[in-house]
Amino acid sequence: MIPQLPDPDELRLLLPEISLITAMCAVLLVPFIQRKSVALPVVAALGGLLLATLATVANLGDYRMIFSGSLAIDHFSQFFKILLLLFSVLVVVLWGITSRKQTHAYDVPDFLCLLLGAVFGMSLMASATSLIMIFVAIESASLPSYALAGFRKHERVGSEGSLKYIIFGSASSALMVYGMSLIYGSAGTLDLFGVAGAVTTGGLTPLMAVGLAGLFVGLSFKLSAVPLHFWCPDVFQAAPIEVTTFLSVASKGAAVCLLVRVLHVFGVASMGDLGAAGLGGLSVGVAIVGAITATWGNLLALRQTNLKRLLACSSISHAGYMIMAASLIISPGRGSAQSVAGAILFYLLIYLFMNLGAFTAAAIIDQETGQDDIRGYTGLARRCPTLAVLMSLFLLSLFGMPGLGGFMGKIYLMESMTKAENTGFVLITVLLLNTLLSLYYYMRPVYYMVLVAGDERRPVFFPRGIGLAMLLGCAAVLLWTGLSPSAAGGMTQDYARMFSFTRNVVDVTDSLAASQDAGVLVIPPLHETPGR
Amino acid sequence: MHQVFNVSLTHFLLVSIVLVSAGVATILTKRNAIGILIGVELILNAAGVNFVAFNHYAWPAAYPVGEANDGVLFTLFIIVLAAAEAALALAIFLNFYNNFNTVDVDKASELRG
């Protein structure tokens, strides 16, 4: 990789990130103009997010590597960025209904700045293709998330949650960086294509294997994959509900996109010949981790009574389903990579609306009744039928009820799995068994809301205004994608095209082989000075 | 000055292995949050040593064309991001101290289930 100054066209492709950074600065500078204003920073943040969305839509047809090959701008990354940015707008709206009244006016710019910073990191995660960019993207997505998780500084649980989050997060990212240093030592390049080329030509040396293990430790922390999942329920329960919503969708979605990209690069570099490249184990390993994550998340969720904690465990298992599908990207198959990526994008789209709906409903219930324990939901069907119906709809969709979006999401995942020869059917079985397992805990809140009689004297209430509009919007999307999935499914398939690296990989491996003896480093014994 | 012995890549890798082992051991044994943070910094610096050593010995920059100083560049990023992470971690520890009057991570056990 020869660093070059970016040309104007590259900067145009980076406009979404540039607008996010500009909005961050604007939000921080607002207090100098008007000290106690809440509206101004919110308008600046929303403006930045919408500008970034427009810039992403304008760049949608572009298809190239920018910044000396460290960012891939393609349909896949741009589609995820649009999802992410629109979702962040909805998170700001959700914050407006839930936490705005409790947030001091001085803290509003801080909150928005941290949120925009995390969105910036996540949008980089979707297109990162060099180790440096992966590190920077993961860190700039993580650091604001740590602070956001403990944003209510005077709550004991909040400070405990963010303490656990930053300790586990910084330890796993440190191990990831150490792994990256070993990958660099083995391959001699930070470029992901070059690394994949070195693995395919030079084989999986022990140094490279340990390095890749470190890289996947960092990735699985962001994905909350077993065994690095234990922070997830604690942090999600402790964080304010809009932050939980944000982390459960945006953070996991970005991590899934990064995993898909890393595996895709390796899959293309091996040219479908996994056995020779020593990468067959990688695909199987990712599939096993995904299956364990899905199952373990469901088992954890069975005994949860706090709704935020329950949804946190359910988000672990949903991440597990997506990891299982992502493992097939690397395996050989008749153009299966695009169909798998398309199914994952479709699942992310559905998952966004299911989780947003469920968390918004939970936030409104929490506001009206002060309950976030599902055993306190008794008699809710009588007190607020609208909310009970909508909440049940979101939970049923998370389970995968036919007719709702969640069902079609799982169907598309399974359809893409059938294209892989052997492992696909094992994965489908795991997915089906897990879906059955999850029915129990998704039905428990519904059971308490509908069937358990509550105290009849408690007041009746109705969701109002923006909250109701958001709930109805999410429900409409889930019904639409559930009843006629072809439009959204076709769109995600179209936008699942990822940067075609074949040419790049050949170039990289050729130059590596020519200059560095197939890109394998032999560590010399002591008292010998190679190089200089 | 006369060179007593040649410093090779292996020496640097040994230093880095000692650092990373010390870091992992610190993270696993310390119960003080700041101790754990020090362990994390040790691992990050081990990675930095690796990057610079690999860049110098194994993949030296061949001007005017060829590989650039990727490893040195990565080390600069590690230093900057480690500083940011340490600042944020200390702020979070301080906030935890305000609420719990301790930075013992074993006391962070109210969230369970």
Side-chain angles (χ1 to χ4, degrees):
Chain A
M1 169 171 88
I2 306 157
Q4 290 161 338
L5 280 177
D7 59 50
D9 195 46
E10 295 186 359
L11 288 180
R12 180 181 63 80
L13 292 174
L14 211 66
L15 262 182
E17 283 79 6
I18 294 175
S19 6
L20 284 174
I21 296 278
T22 317
M24 274 172 80
C25 300
V27 163
L28 279 184
L29 289 176
V30 158
F32 290 107
I33 303 166
Q34 213 170 3
R35 286 196 65 181
K36 283 195 175 175
S37 166
V38 175
L40 262 178
V42 172
V43 167
L46 288 179
L49 286 171
L50 290 176
L51 256 181
T53 317
L54 286 180
T56 321
V57 172
N59 291 342
L60 203 50
D62 282 286
Y63 217 66
R64 63 174 285 198
M65 306 289 302
I66 59 172
F67 284 137
S68 314
S70 56
L71 284 173
I73 302 291
D74 51 20
H75 275 149
F76 181 76
S77 72
Q78 300 304 87
F79 186 82
F80 175 74
K81 276 181 206 172
I82 294 173
L83 271 190
L84 171 74
L85 293 164
L86 291 178
F87 173 70
S88 313
V89 170
L90 294 175
V91 167
V92 175
V93 174
L94 181 63
W95 170 81
I97 355 179
T98 55
S99 297
R100 190 178 66 83
K101 293 186 205 82
Q102 301 162 42
T103 315
H104 198 282
Y106 293 136
D107 290 339
V108 173
D110 301 357
F111 175 81
L112 294 168
C113 179
L114 289 170
L115 188 74
L116 289 170
V119 173
F120 166 76
M122 287 162 193
S123 73
L124 283 186
M125 273 167 84
S127 28
T129 52
S130 98
L131 295 182
I132 262 196
M133 199 49 87
I134 291 175
F135 174 52
V136 171
I138 284 186
E139 287 292 293
S140 54
S142 298
L143 291 181
S145 310
Y146 303 146
L148 281 176
F151 198 74
R152 292 188 187 157
K153 294 192 280 288
H154 300 294
E155 283 184 5
R156 280 172 74 88
V157 284
S159 60
E160 182 186 330
S162 69
L163 178 85
K164 284 181 174 167
Y165 198 10
I166 195 166
I167 283 181
F168 293 135
S170 56
S172 63
S173 79
L175 286 176
M176 179 184 76
V177 173
Y178 191 75
M180 283 177 175
S181 75
L182 299 183
I183 293 177
Y184 173 69
S186 179
T189 172
L190 293 173
D191 192 33
L192 214 49
F193 310 121
V195 172
V199 174
T200 31
T201 49
L204 202 62
T205 56
L207 197 63
M208 180 64 98
V210 176
L212 284 177
L215 176 65
F216 280 96
V217 163
L219 271 179
S220 50
F221 171 80
K222 289 304 285 176
L223 287 162
S224 71
V226 173
L228 291 166
H229 65 287
F230 38 77
W231 58 276
C232 186
D234 289 351
V235 171
F236 281 19
Q237 184 187 351
I241 197 156
E242 68 279 358
V243 175
T244 308
T245 317
F246 178 69
L247 292 181
S248 73
V249 177
S251 174
K252 291 207 177 164
V256 167
C257 284
L258 184 53
L259 179 72
V260 166
R261 186 162 304 276
V262 171
L263 291 180
H264 190 210
V265 173
F266 278 102
V268 174
S270 67
M271 317 260 180
D273 189 15
L274 289 176
L279 284 172
L282 189 59
S283 172
V284 175
V286 173
I288 289 174
V289 166
I292 294 176
T293 304
T295 315
W296 194 253
N298 278 327
L299 290 176
L300 271 181
L302 289 180
R303 57 195 173 91
Q304 302 304 334
T305 54
N306 181 299
L307 190 74
K308 274 157 95 181
R309 223 179 152 78
L310 189 149
L311 287 175
C313 296
S314 108
S315 84
I316 296 178
S317 61
H318 283 278
Y321 303 150
M322 286 186 268
I323 299 171
M324 287 197 299
S327 73
L328 298 175
I329 289 220
I330 197 174
S331 68
R334 309 164 293 271
S336 67
Q338 188 180 343
S339 80
V340 172
I344 289 176
L345 278 185
F346 184 76
Y347 202 85
L348 274 176
L349 175 79
I350 305 291
Y351 177 69
L352 188 163
F353 287 103
M354 298 192 286
N355 253 22
L356 181 66
F359 275 114
T360 311
I364 295 174
I365 293 173
D366 191 12
Q367 259 184 343
E368 297 287 342
T369 67
Q371 282 289 354
D372 62 354
D373 193 300
I374 55 174
R375 286 167 300 190
Y377 282 14
T378 49
L380 206 69
R382 209 154 285 149
R383 293 175 66 196
C384 184
T386 333
L387 209 50
V389 167
L390 286 169
M391 184 67 157
S392 314
L393 186 132
F394 297 132
L395 290 173
L396 281 172
S397 177
L398 280 165
F399 154 65
M401 182 81 171
L404 294 172
F407 175 70
M408 289 318 297
K410 282 185 176 146
I411 289 288
Y412 276 127
L413 279 191
M414 287 195 258
E415 193 199 347
S416 71
M417 284 173 188
T418 54
K419 293 188 178 155
E421 272 97 37
N422 298 319
T423 43
F425 291 101
V426 180
L427 293 179
I428 289 174
T429 317
V430 173
L431 182 59
L432 283 176
L433 288 177
N434 269 297
T435 304
L436 282 179
L437 191 62
S438 68
L439 181 63
Y440 169 73
Y441 64 84
Y442 285 132
M443 284 303 101
R444 266 180 88 193
V446 180
Y447 166 76
Y448 280 106
M449 280 192 293
V450 180
L451 292 177
V452 179
D455 187 353
E456 292 300 323
R457 287 163 299 173
R458 286 182 300 181
V460 171
F461 63 92
F462 298 100
R464 282 182 309 273
I466 305 172
L468 184 61
M470 264 173 73
L471 288 176
L472 289 177
C474 292
V477 172
L478 291 181
L479 284 171
W480 172 59
T481 47
L483 295 175
S484 78
S486 49
M491 182 176 67
T492 47
Q493 279 298 329
D494 287 344
Y495 285 113
R497 278 195 294 143
M498 277 192 275
F499 200 85
S500 170
F501 332 86
T502 333
R503 191 177 50 80
N504 299 46
V505 170
V506 170
D507 287 350
V508 167
T509 44
D510 282 348
S511 64
L512 264 180
S515 64
Q516 309 285 2
D517 254 347
V520 189
L521 170 70
V522 182
I523 299 177
L526 285 168
H527 304 298
E528 265 181 43
T529 320
R532 299 173 195 167
Chain B
M1 206 188 89
H2 176 67
Q3 248 179 329
V4 180
F5 65 95
N6 288 330
V7 181
S8 73
L9 175 60
T10 317
H11 293 102
F12 281 101
L13 293 188
L14 279 179
V15 170
S16 135
I17 284 173
V18 169
L19 276 176
V20 78
S21 324
V24 171
T26 313
I27 290 176
L28 292 179
T29 55
K30 285 281 174 189
R31 301 277 52 105
N32 184 313
I34 294 173
I36 295 177
L37 182 65
I38 292 172
V40 169
E41 299 290 318
L42 284 176
I43 300 182
L44 286 174
N45 284 318
V49 170
N50 263 356
F51 270 118
V52 174
F54 279 132
N55 201 162
H56 184 81
Y57 289 102
W59 313 103
Y63 285 109
V65 286
E67 299 297 305
N69 288 317
D70 282 352
V72 177
L73 198 69
F74 204 120
T75 310
L76 286 177
F77 275 92
I78 291 178
I79 292 168
V80 171
L81 282 167
E85 201 169 66
L88 187 66
L90 289 175
I92 286 175
F93 296 165
L94 186 64
N95 186 38
F96 183 78
Y97 183 80
N98 283 338
N99 285 318
F100 285 75
N101 266 325
T102 175
V103 284
D104 186 344
V105 289
D106 284 339
K107 296 288 183 294
S109 57
E110 288 182 6
L111 294 162
R112 278 181 187 282

